[in-house]
Amino acid sequence: FIEQACQQIARMGQGQSAAKYQTAVQELINNHSVVPHDAEFWSQFWTLPTTADSPFSDITPDDIRQLKTKNPGNLAVLLNQAVGQLHAYLIRWNGPPGLDKAPATGQDYNTALNCIRLITRIMPFMFEDKNDEFVERVFWQNQPPHPPPPQPGDTPGKRAPPVPEIVVEGEANKAPLAVQLLDALMDLLFQPNFTITNVPSLPRHPNHTLPLNYIWASGLGSEEVLAAPPHAAWMHRLEVLKCLLSCLSEALYVPSDRICWTRNKWLDYITRHEGYYSYALFCTLINISCSYDPVGWGVPYNHLMFRDDHEAVASASLQVLNVLLNYYPPIALSRSNSVSGGSVGLHHQARPSPGPSPSVSSSDLRAAADGTPSSEDLPQGHPEPRLRESRSTSFIMPVMPPSHNIFVNYVRDLKRIKDYKFLFSAFIRLVSNPLQAGSTRLPYSMKEISNYDDLLMVFWRMIEENPRFLSYVIADESFSQLLVAMLHFMHEGRRNPAQLGLVHLVTFVLLLVSGERVFAINLNKSFVGKNTLSDTPGPIGTYADMLFLVCGRLVLDGHEKLENIHECLLTVLANVSYYTKSLSMQSCVRLLKLFEHLSRPRFLFAAEKHYRLVHLLLEIMNNLVQYQYEGNARLVYSILRCQNDFSKLAHLRIVNSVPPSPSQPDMAMMMMQAESAAPDAATQGEPDQATEDASASSPPPASPSDAEAAPAAADQPSEPSTTNEEGAPSTVVAEQVADGDHQGDGDQGAAPQEPQQAPVVPVEPSQPPIEVPMAPQVPVFLPTNEWLESWRQHLPLDNIIRIITNLSPQIQGLCTGSVGDEPQILDYLHRTTLVGILSVPHPIVIRRYQPNDATQMWFITFMWGVIYLKNYSPPLFSGSNVRLFIVNVQT
């Protein structure tokens, strides 16, 4: 009863304090005669008792905007007073030079926290309007803001109210207000008895850095640190980190197409100037994140019995670390990759198929729970990973040039094996946690963390910037655990709009590691663990099988917004295919199902660059057969079963026809009718193709995944529509014929003597694409015969046709119609050889990832989208006019 009464009294006191707080805010907005030296008035904002959420409920976004618009002078004084209070307390606590410090009291800490909360609430709204000079004048020039503009209803000729003079006192105020604020936050992060355990004093020497035994947790940099602080210190850490994140959030209010070229002075000051706390901050953010253990001793449901102070601080630390690692000053950026139109002009020069690589769409971020703000339809400046072709299988350690970002340099300077071990073991333990928590015997008995996407962002930055760490990671036997977790995220998130950004991120990681020979070889290890792929029953043979199954499923049954990473996924498979010793029958069937889908005219004619996917898939099959035939007899058997699909592709043609008529069907129906015209047999004595012929002859797709995976023509850049002599749009007709006399000599483009022509059907333009940033409308693509011949002659079909031509008669002779035919055929394929049948293998060509400005732009957008969604309690950025992406609030 007494406890309940005390809580009721506390709530009553908080209600009265909130009313006084709101009254003071309204007086700031409406009263132009507030005196800057009125200590009694200004002290209300940091002496009234508040909680971490109070400023967010007591000060609305409209209050801040009105204060900035109607009375900017009062807002400038308020910010200066708050920062001044922080510096005054820091000087008193730490002691001025030559004088003893004063002991801090509980009221001092509450006052400092109230100042931090007020700044945290206000700062995001200072960056909203890039046209005014408030931030520049107040924070960087220590000048009063410009007077407010005349308001509607003001008397003509009425003079604007005077701007209060900003009080500037003391030595600390010689620096810009922004520098004072950032320095104060750095001091508070390592303030004894506030965020770290109480110590006599911190050593402060000019031109030195903070000793690493004062960082928050052991690990990187130091193994001996101070004892763990009490609960209050953990909460203080969290509030200071959120205030720092708020001060560094200017990127949220910059359009995505300008984010790489916009200078951020706040990040400039922290990342380009090595200060007293710089390296200690780097080690602290990493160690406090990597030392978090959500499982503990493994007692079931322990997270329901004990308070966890570490998780929120670890998440905030990861967010701040990602912001610091992903800032490149404009002076360090290369403008060679110009941004124009709807996609970024980065090109993939891989032989033998020229043309640009597919762009990777940005994520569609949504909240998992109703009522949570969501970020949707991020700007479609799709990143296109630059792929550098390499013919050497030996790894050469690249020399990374020094960066203008000191935190990036800290990552590049990591060289100790024990540091690598500490970091990598933490990544494995934490990233695998959601997978382990979802497969326990007792439901919800293990705590599941929610910051695994932040961890993967840090992991991506580290392997991208530190080649030594990348070499250590891919050579470690435990990497398979991290790989399984990442593939699980891709597989389970392929249809979930809220997880598409994570799927893109994992794709980038796989693209980077697939360029390493050691990674591809280690994929041949037998799969150990539980099969978590819901659509793949039974055991999984090797980790290569899991990679092929997941990548194939994403292409066949992924969300439509994942279409732009399809080429990246196939590039990953192409890089590892040279070293894949054996694929299971499930993986082989998935590959051939993928080929059937990608080689259909309905898909090939939907966009100008769709043929690149077929080329990559054929290249994968060639690599598996030419370099690892002994273990991939199942793939050869699958190719022989689906030989009609290869024959259809080899004899696909497009001819011009009559102008379109409104009464004729659309393009999609024409494609399905073209597919139904099955060609003659490519060779004599084919094996039974009842299953494949049945699926090819039916107009609708064979499974829902085919229909969902078929991309729309409006989603891809396309060529202008062609016109005939009368000015009417031309129509195209697909022809699929087979020449029974071809011998697999590589002349797949020869036309048959008597082609079987599908009905003449016009091509009707599809709907224009949805208007999004950096994606202007383009004309609908209409395929032509010249376009078809330009790429079909480069398709690596020659070896596939040779396999079908030489092995099909022998396989036909082994078919008796009994159940034992398949083992007998596989045994024959294991015993035979393709020496003398296949052409000489080409050199190994590995497409390696290269960083570029487009991926950096996407990554920054995705990173801030994740930060925006996770900081909803308190709502750090809610209500502000974010310009980096579009925000939709679910009600």
Side-chain angles (χ1 to χ4, degrees):
F1 173 79
I2 296 176
E3 182 179 355
Q4 294 178 356
C6 292
Q7 293 177 356
Q8 183 67 23
I9 294 173
R11 283 194 293 268
M12 292 174 59
Q14 290 176 1
Q16 295 175 358
S17 299
K20 293 180 180 179
Y21 203 93
Q22 294 169 357
T23 302
V25 171
Q26 293 302 318
E27 186 172 357
L28 269 184
I29 297 174
N30 301 315
N31 189 355
H32 296 281
S33 60
V34 176
V35 180
H37 302 276
D38 189 353
E40 182 179 355
F41 172 78
W42 296 106
S43 64
Q44 300 177 85
F45 294 98
W46 30 85
T47 57
L48 291 175
T50 62
T51 62
D53 297 333
S54 295
F56 294 89
S57 58
D58 297 340
I59 306 177
T60 66
D62 289 338
D63 290 338
I64 303 175
R65 295 191 184 102
Q66 290 180 22
L67 180 58
K68 185 180 178 183
T69 302
K70 297 181 179 180
N71 222 332
N74 285 349
L75 177 59
V77 174
L78 177 64
L79 291 168
N80 274 269
Q81 291 277 2
V83 176
Q85 287 288 327
L86 292 178
H87 270 283
Y89 279 110
L90 286 170
I91 292 174
R92 191 199 312 178
W93 296 340
N94 298 322
L99 297 177
D100 294 334
K101 64 178 183 178
T105 63
Q107 182 60 37
D108 293 343
Y109 292 146
N110 291 334
T111 300
L113 287 174
N114 287 338
C115 294
I116 291 172
R117 293 161 184 168
L118 183 64
I119 295 171
T120 304
R121 178 54 171 162
I122 292 177
M123 285 308 301
F125 298 90
M126 300 298 99
F127 303 126
E128 281 185 331
D129 189 357
K130 307 300 292 185
N131 296 323
D132 66 19
E133 298 181 356
F134 184 91
V135 174
E136 180 66 25
R137 292 179 63 86
V138 174
F139 285 97
W140 295 104
Q141 298 178 4
N142 282 347
Q143 296 180 7
H146 291 301
Q151 300 296 322
D154 287 350
T155 305
K158 179 181 178 180
R159 300 181 62 180
V163 177
E165 178 186 359
I166 297 178
V167 180
V168 180
E169 298 177 354
E171 293 295 326
N173 287 316
K174 289 183 178 180
L177 182 63
V179 173
Q180 299 176 49
L181 175 56
L182 294 176
D183 286 345
L185 294 177
M186 292 295 175
D187 283 331
L188 290 170
L189 285 174
F190 300 96
Q191 179 61 40
N193 208 29
F194 186 73
T195 50
I196 62 176
T197 304
N198 193 18
V199 293
S201 62
L202 294 180
R204 297 178 183 273
H205 303 285
N207 303 324
H208 285 69
T209 59
L210 178 70
L212 295 183
N213 58 314
Y214 291 96
I215 59 179
W216 293 356
S218 61
L220 189 66
S222 178
E223 297 180 359
E224 296 182 2
V225 297
L226 301 175
H231 168 71
W234 285 97
M235 297 299 99
H236 297 167
R237 291 174 175 181
L238 181 60
E239 295 203 42
V240 177
L241 286 173
K242 286 186 176 293
C243 186
L244 180 60
L245 189 64
S246 177
C247 293
L248 303 180
S249 64
E250 186 176 358
L252 275 173
Y253 309 96
V254 178
S256 61
D257 58 340
R258 291 165 45 196
I259 190 64
C260 288
W261 319 118
T262 302
R263 181 185 178 191
N264 188 325
K265 290 186 177 181
W266 302 79
L267 283 169
D268 266 347
Y269 178 74
I270 294 182
T271 61
R272 298 188 65 184
H273 305 282
E274 188 165 12
Y276 181 70
Y277 296 108
S278 297
Y279 190 62
L281 176 64
F282 173 75
C283 295
T284 291
L285 296 177
I286 288 183
N287 293 349
I288 203 68
S289 305
C290 293
S291 62
Y292 175 55
D293 185 7
V295 179
W297 291 352
V299 178
Y301 303 103
N302 62 341
H303 59 284
L304 301 179
M305 297 181 286
F306 304 100
R307 181 174 57 193
D308 190 356
D309 299 327
H310 199 154
E311 182 181 17
V313 176
S315 297
S317 299
L318 284 171
Q319 293 168 14
V320 173
L321 180 63
N322 275 315
V323 171
L324 296 177
L325 289 179
N326 287 280
Y327 176 68
Y328 286 91
I331 190 176
L333 290 172
S334 169
R335 290 180 176 267
S336 59
N337 301 324
S338 60
V339 180
S340 60
S343 60
V344 183
L346 303 179
H347 297 280
H348 176 182
Q349 301 295 336
R351 180 186 58 84
S353 176
S357 63
S359 57
V360 182
S361 63
S362 55
S363 64
D364 180 57
L365 299 173
R366 293 181 181 171
D370 292 336
T372 303
S374 67
S375 160
E376 192 174 16
D377 296 330
L378 298 185
Q380 301 296 312
H382 309 307
E384 299 180 0
R386 176 180 292 176
L387 302 176
R388 175 170 56 84
E389 191 176 89
S390 172
R391 298 178 183 272
S392 174
T393 58
S394 60
F395 177 76
I396 301 177
M397 188 71 67
V399 178
M400 305 299 290
S403 170
H404 292 271
N405 187 327
I406 60 173
F407 292 92
V408 174
N409 288 332
Y410 292 153
V411 172
R412 295 177 179 178
D413 291 341
L414 294 175
K415 299 177 182 179
R416 300 190 304 177
I417 297 299
K418 65 177 182 179
D419 291 338
Y420 295 163
K421 184 177 181 179
F422 166 74
L423 293 171
F424 189 48
S425 61
F427 286 134
I428 293 176
R429 183 183 72 254
L430 295 173
V431 174
S432 302
N433 169 264
L435 184 59
Q436 297 173 357
S439 57
T440 55
R441 292 181 179 272
L442 299 174
Y444 308 106
S445 60
M446 180 184 294
K447 183 172 184 177
E448 181 177 350
I449 64 173
S450 59
N451 59 359
Y452 52 86
D453 44 5
D454 298 300
L455 282 161
L456 281 174
M457 282 188 272
V458 175
F459 177 73
W460 158 256
R461 296 298 293 143
M462 286 192 169
I463 62 174
E464 182 186 20
E465 297 292 349
N466 193 325
R468 298 181 185 87
F469 183 59
L470 173 61
S471 300
Y472 175 86
V473 164
I474 60 179
D476 195 285
E477 295 182 355
S478 302
F479 183 72
S480 57
Q481 301 178 35
L482 185 63
L483 176 64
V484 170
M486 292 190 297
L487 292 177
H488 173 78
F489 294 147
M490 295 180 71
H491 185 268
E492 297 302 316
R494 70 187 188 277
R495 303 294 302 172
N496 184 1
Q499 298 295 320
L500 298 186
L502 183 61
V503 174
H504 282 78
L505 178 60
V506 174
T507 303
F508 284 161
V509 174
L510 293 177
L511 186 60
L512 183 60
V513 299
S514 67
E516 308 301 328
R517 180 175 179 271
V518 176
F519 168 76
I521 293 176
N522 288 340
L523 289 177
N524 293 305
K525 296 179 180 179
S526 298
F527 181 82
V528 178
K530 181 180 179 181
N531 178 13
T532 61
L533 305 183
S534 55
D535 62 340
T536 308
I540 297 177
T542 64
Y543 292 99
D545 285 320
M546 189 174 191
L547 179 64
F548 274 77
L549 289 170
V550 171
C551 291
R553 177 57 64 190
L554 258 71
V555 177
L556 285 172
D557 191 29
H559 195 280
E560 59 183 6
K561 291 189 176 182
L562 294 178
E563 177 186 341
N564 291 293
I565 62 169
H566 287 175
E567 185 171 346
C568 294
L569 294 170
L570 294 181
T571 300
V572 171
L573 300 183
N575 284 343
V576 304
S577 59
Y578 298 98
Y579 312 98
T580 304
K581 293 183 178 180
S582 177
L583 286 180
S584 65
M585 184 58 74
Q586 286 180 319
S587 302
C588 295
V589 171
R590 182 69 54 83
L591 272 181
L592 271 298
K593 182 66 176 176
L594 190 58
F595 177 78
E596 177 189 357
H597 168 70
L598 297 180
S599 62
R600 289 175 177 173
R602 176 178 52 192
F603 178 83
L604 281 175
F605 297 161
E608 183 182 6
K609 300 302 180 182
H610 278 182
Y611 71 88
R612 295 177 60 85
L613 304 182
V614 178
H615 183 282
L616 277 171
L617 194 54
L618 288 172
E619 184 178 324
I620 293 169
M621 296 180 188
N622 275 273
N623 295 340
L624 290 168
V625 172
Q626 286 188 293
Y627 285 89
Q628 306 289 343
Y629 172 76
E630 291 184 1
N632 287 299
R634 300 183 189 88
L635 178 62
V636 176
Y637 174 64
S638 301
I639 291 174
L640 293 173
R641 291 189 58 189
C642 301
Q643 56 186 279
N644 269 356
D645 294 327
F646 297 96
S647 180
K648 292 175 184 179
L649 177 63
H651 298 84
L652 181 66
R653 286 198 347 171
I654 300 175
V655 295
N656 291 331
S657 185
V658 299
S661 171
S663 61
Q664 292 174 316
D666 61 0
M667 178 66 144
M669 183 59 68
M670 183 274 290
M671 295 305 175
M672 290 186 287
Q673 291 178 353
E675 290 180 85
S676 66
D680 297 332
T683 59
Q684 297 294 329
E686 292 184 11
D688 184 23
Q689 294 291 321
T691 304
E692 286 77 9
D693 291 343
S695 63
S697 62
S698 58
S703 66
S705 63
D706 290 342
E708 294 171 356
D715 292 336
Q716 293 287 341
S718 56
E719 295 291 336
S721 302
T722 59
T723 56
N724 56 19
E725 296 180 357
E726 291 77 18
S730 300
T731 50
V732 293
V733 174
E735 295 183 352
Q736 290 181 319
V737 295
D739 184 1
D741 297 344
H742 79 77
Q743 300 297 327
D745 55 2
D747 186 16
Q748 295 95 6
Q753 296 181 356
E754 296 181 359
Q756 181 179 0
Q757 181 172 328
V760 177
V761 181
V763 179
E764 296 183 358
S766 60
Q767 296 295 326
I770 299 174
E771 294 185 3
V772 294
M774 296 183 62
Q777 294 185 8
V778 291
V780 176
F781 170 68
L782 290 179
T784 63
N785 196 56
E786 291 77 12
W787 165 81
L788 175 61
E789 295 300 328
S790 67
W791 57 264
R792 189 173 59 178
Q793 60 184 342
H794 297 293
L795 288 180
L797 266 172
D798 183 64
N799 284 325
I800 304 296
I801 298 299
R802 292 188 183 194
I803 291 174
I804 295 174
T805 303
N806 288 273
L807 294 183
S808 184
Q810 286 80 1
I811 299 303
Q812 182 66 26
L814 297 175
C815 295
T816 62
S818 64
V819 180
D821 284 350
E822 182 172 321
Q824 185 178 0
I825 294 172
L826 289 175
D827 180 65
Y828 171 79
L829 293 176
H830 278 296
R831 289 184 286 104
T832 191
T833 180
L834 295 181
V835 176
I837 297 178
L838 302 181
S839 60
V840 178
H842 59 77
I844 294 179
V845 178
I846 301 298
R847 298 171 177 86
R848 299 183 185 275
Y849 168 82
Q850 282 188 315
N852 57 79
D853 300 339
T855 52
Q856 180 68 15
M857 179 179 64
W858 175 87
F859 195 88
I860 293 174
T861 305
F862 170 67
M863 174 193 70
W864 278 108
V866 172
I867 293 174
Y868 181 94
L869 291 179
K870 290 189 176 181
N871 286 278
Y872 59 86
S873 180
L876 203 60
F877 308 107
S878 297
S880 59
N881 296 327
V882 175
R883 301 184 66 191
L884 188 60
F885 43 78
I886 300 173
V887 178
N888 291 335
V889 180
Q890 296 178 350
T891 57

